[in-house]
Amino acid sequence: NALAWKYPNSRGAICRRTFRSLKSTVLSSFEEKILGSSFPTPVSAYGGEKREWYSYPNGSTIYTVGLDNPGKLLSGEFDFIYVNQAEECALEDWETMISRTTGRAGHMPYAQLFGDCNPGPSTHWIKQRFANRLLNSRHEDNPRLFDDDGKILEQGERTLAALDLLTGVRKQRLMYGLWV
């Protein structure tokens, strides 16, 4: 969102493995937490319930893409692509997105492909390919769970209590952030 506001006429995309999961998770959070509770804002959403793109007053556009239909990216030139839950994507998906963020869109000083993920197996292509470039975060980094002084908040207590109920590999990945 900040990139779209800062660079006029920029072209971006928000992606997830399937459009159905994109719509029910990241787009809901994007509208509520990023665009704000007063949405619609000066940012206009197009596509009705399907939310195909967001148009900014400065001419920037953010498209929504489920990688179950990667053809929506082909022939596209993007200044940035953000991938939610990147661990769900295949290496082929990631490389398709690399080929769309080569700088040809030309509205930013550099093109960016970035994402977030939960840890997966230690053999996952993300861990193998980007081991030295992963930015690890902890629950304590989340301002909805912990305050600036590191004190756990009520939501943090609920979240960590729920994650503590997990077992085995799921607990190691989601509670402790380990690639196992």
Side-chain angles (χ1 to χ4, degrees):
N1 192 49
L3 293 173
W5 280 113
K6 183 174 182 177
Y7 297 101
N9 303 312
S10 62
R11 293 172 47 93
I14 300 173
C15 298
R16 191 158 174 186
R17 182 70 193 120
T18 66
F19 188 82
R20 173 181 252 165
S21 60
L22 176 75
K23 179 183 171 216
S24 65
T25 58
V26 72
L27 293 185
S28 176
S29 295
F30 179 69
E31 290 183 1
E32 180 183 325
K33 295 183 173 75
I34 304 297
L35 297 180
S37 59
S38 61
F39 185 73
T41 64
V43 176
S44 300
Y46 293 91
E49 291 288 318
K50 196 171 177 191
R51 296 290 199 241
E52 294 184 34
W53 76 88
Y54 296 86
S55 182
Y56 289 70
N58 69 355
S60 295
T61 305
I62 297 179
Y63 295 91
T64 62
V65 180
L67 295 171
D68 47 345
N69 182 12
K72 281 186 75 175
L73 288 173
L74 297 178
S75 298
E77 299 173 352
F78 294 91
D79 295 296
F80 63 91
I81 296 176
Y82 159 67
V83 184
N84 178 250
Q85 298 296 146
E87 78 278 7
E88 296 176 344
C89 299
L91 177 58
E92 180 180 351
D93 297 329
W94 193 261
E95 290 184 350
T96 297
M97 291 181 284
I98 287 173
S99 72
R100 303 299 97 205
T101 53
T102 62
R104 291 184 304 146
H107 300 103
M108 292 174 40
Y110 48 86
Q112 297 182 58
L113 171 58
F114 55 98
D116 63 31
C117 67
N118 286 309
S122 60
T123 56
H124 194 287
W125 66 265
I126 291 175
K127 184 67 172 169
Q128 298 299 311
R129 187 168 179 161
F130 299 115
N132 62 343
R133 291 186 272 174
L134 290 175
L135 301 175
N136 293 312
S137 64
R138 305 166 310 137
H139 297 293
E140 291 81 2
D141 299 325
N142 187 331
R144 295 191 69 213
L145 305 182
F146 288 83
D147 68 16
D148 290 340
D149 297 324
K151 183 178 180 281
I152 192 164
L153 302 172
E154 188 176 320
Q155 180 59 53
E157 289 177 4
R158 284 194 299 269
T159 298
L160 294 182
L163 294 176
D164 196 40
L165 296 173
L166 301 175
T167 61
V169 169
R170 276 184 299 281
K171 185 171 189 169
Q172 290 187 29
R173 290 178 182 169
L174 301 176
M175 179 75 166
Y176 303 119
L178 301 174
W179 287 81
V180 294

